[in-house]
Amino acid sequence: QVQVVESGGGSVQAGGSLSLSCVVSPYGTDYDDTIKCMGWFRQAPGKEREGVAHISDGGITTYADSAKGRFTISRGNTENTVYLQMSSLEPDDTAMYFCAADSRPLPCGYGGSARYTYWGQGTQVTVPS
């Protein structure tokens, strides 16, 4: 049973920074089982879940327009770890942030939520206005 666990959420003043982490376990070593794509999504109250940033197993990244220039997604030394470094945070960034992962060899960063099989429970990020 694959588990996805996020950490690092919290409350930060506007203009501040926050870093999120995500670990996927267990993960396979055979090609079919390796994590090919990892991403971060967020969902604010009353709004749909939206993709924030994605990273492929080759290190290719894609970002939502709202995240470009402010957020950075990266993978850890082990392929089952992903980080989201957020800076210049705004009240509109307040949301539950979810980590997602998938082992299918599909284009990373496209297809929205359907691209991902494994999801975490989310970690809350709050930027008071």
Side-chain angles (χ1 to χ4, degrees):
Q1 183 73 18
V2 175
Q3 290 187 322
V4 180
V5 180
E6 307 98 334
S7 60
S11 181
V12 62
Q13 292 185 345
S17 300
L18 206 60
S19 183
L20 306 182
S21 301
C22 171
V23 178
V24 180
S25 63
Y27 66 100
T29 56
D30 293 337
Y31 177 76
D32 287 348
D33 297 329
T34 57
I35 299 299
K36 312 293 187 307
C37 185
M38 300 185 78
W40 289 95
F41 288 74
R42 66 185 183 185
Q43 187 167 19
K47 295 187 178 180
E48 293 187 356
R49 186 172 297 188
E50 62 174 355
V52 176
H54 312 269
I55 186 167
S56 71
D57 55 350
I60 297 173
T61 58
T62 57
Y63 293 92
D65 288 343
S66 59
K68 289 178 181 177
R70 301 189 302 128
F71 294 2
T72 301
I73 188 171
S74 61
R75 295 186 75 152
N77 291 331
T78 58
E79 64 180 41
N80 64 325
T81 304
V82 67
Y83 306 100
L84 184 69
Q85 179 64 41
M86 303 182 291
S87 61
S88 301
L89 285 162
E90 305 165 352
D92 283 348
D93 295 316
T94 295
M96 185 71 78
Y97 282 71
F98 298 89
C99 178
D102 200 279
S103 59
R104 294 172 295 175
L106 301 173
C108 191
Y110 301 92
S113 300
R115 171 62 181 89
Y116 295 94
T117 302
Y118 309 114
W119 290 84
Q121 294 298 308
T123 184
Q124 179 68 36
V125 172
T126 302
V127 187
S129 56

